[in-house]
Amino acid sequence: MMRILIILSLLFVLTACSSGQSTQLKYYDFTHQKTSDSASVSELKQAFIHVNQVKIEGVADQQPLIQLLNDHSVNIANYHFWSQHPKHTLTNALTRALAKDISDFSTVPAGKTKIDIDDIIVEVTVTKLVGHYSLGSLIEGQWFIYNNDINGKRLQSSELFSISTPLQNSGFDALIKAHQTSWEKLTGKVTKAILTKTD
């Protein structure tokens, strides 16, 4: 009996001391290009572009990175995550891009200031934000540009989009770079649509 207790104790100690190899969690974000200093309060433009938080629908509305597999099933990464919820990453990138590229308006996140006449409101809904087995980064959805006039918010422009960017290398680092390139293509289209409507 004593022998069995010693063997069980020894096994318990060995089991407790041996640990499996722990997998490192990784978090990803877009790289931020340095932009010119923001305008001081006295230099703020008369009208604003209000950027609503990006809405993400479906399975991509979570922090783990998503991959669309060959058989149309979805893989949710166990150890690879956005550093913040992707809706915040996409919204921040869109706000920075519009502020950098459109000088006639002050660009602010929605809710930071009252929406006034001649202000512009930008909304983006993303239905797919995935790594794709052959396309690389795949981002799909629809954007809306509204103008606020005396009668309220009026739709100026809207477009369905499907943007893909091939991966330069394999791995999640390359996927994030491709996602950023795809998102920059989208922000370029939104910027062009706003500039066309305001010229």
Side-chain angles (χ1 to χ4, degrees):
M1 177 76 164
M2 186 62 135
R3 197 195 236 162
I4 293 174
L5 284 175
I6 292 173
I7 291 172
L8 287 176
S9 298
L10 186 58
L11 285 174
F12 178 74
V13 169
L14 288 174
T15 304
C17 291
S18 66
S19 63
Q21 196 175 29
S22 65
T23 304
Q24 190 90 15
L25 297 179
K26 289 196 76 176
Y27 295 90
Y28 302 88
D29 198 358
F30 289 166
T31 56
H32 303 303
Q33 279 84 26
K34 182 162 174 45
T35 58
S36 59
D37 295 334
S38 346
S40 68
V41 174
S42 61
E43 295 171 338
L44 287 175
K45 319 307 184 281
Q46 292 288 356
F48 287 90
I49 297 174
H50 303 267
V51 181
N52 285 344
Q53 183 165 295
V54 173
K55 295 177 191 161
I56 301 177
E57 297 177 346
V59 74
D61 186 25
Q62 57 186 312
Q63 208 163 342
L65 296 177
I66 307 297
Q67 295 172 292
L68 185 61
L69 303 178
N70 208 353
D71 60 357
H72 301 289
S73 62
V74 174
N75 180 38
I76 299 173
N78 288 328
Y79 306 108
H80 300 273
F81 302 92
W82 290 98
S83 62
Q84 58 184 335
H85 196 286
K87 66 186 172 192
H88 299 302
T89 299
L90 299 180
T91 304
N92 293 339
L94 176 61
T95 304
R96 280 193 312 275
L98 294 176
K100 182 172 117 326
D101 295 335
I102 301 176
S103 59
D104 294 340
F105 291 82
S106 294
T107 304
V108 295
K112 293 294 182 186
T113 186
K114 180 178 155 273
I115 298 175
D116 213 343
I117 292 176
D118 293 330
D119 283 359
I120 293 172
I121 301 120
V122 176
E123 294 180 3
V124 180
T125 300
V126 173
T127 55
K128 268 191 191 152
L129 175 63
V130 296
H132 189 271
Y133 69 98
S134 64
L135 298 174
S137 161
L138 179 60
I139 303 177
E140 293 182 353
Q142 187 169 13
W143 54 260
F144 307 87
I145 298 171
Y146 298 93
N147 186 292
N148 195 52
D149 61 21
I150 199 156
N151 297 317
K153 189 167 109 170
R154 190 168 45 89
L155 183 63
Q156 287 285 318
S157 183
S158 176
E159 184 177 301
L160 291 166
F161 63 86
S162 179
I163 301 172
S164 63
T165 302
L167 272 59
Q168 299 300 316
N169 299 300
S170 62
F172 286 98
D173 288 326
L175 176 58
I176 294 300
K177 285 180 185 169
H179 276 327
Q180 181 167 359
T181 301
S182 293
W183 193 249
E184 287 168 354
K185 290 176 187 175
L186 173 71
T187 58
K189 288 183 176 191
V190 172
T191 299
K192 185 176 178 182
I194 291 172
L195 291 172
T196 301
K197 297 293 179 190
T198 56
D199 283 345

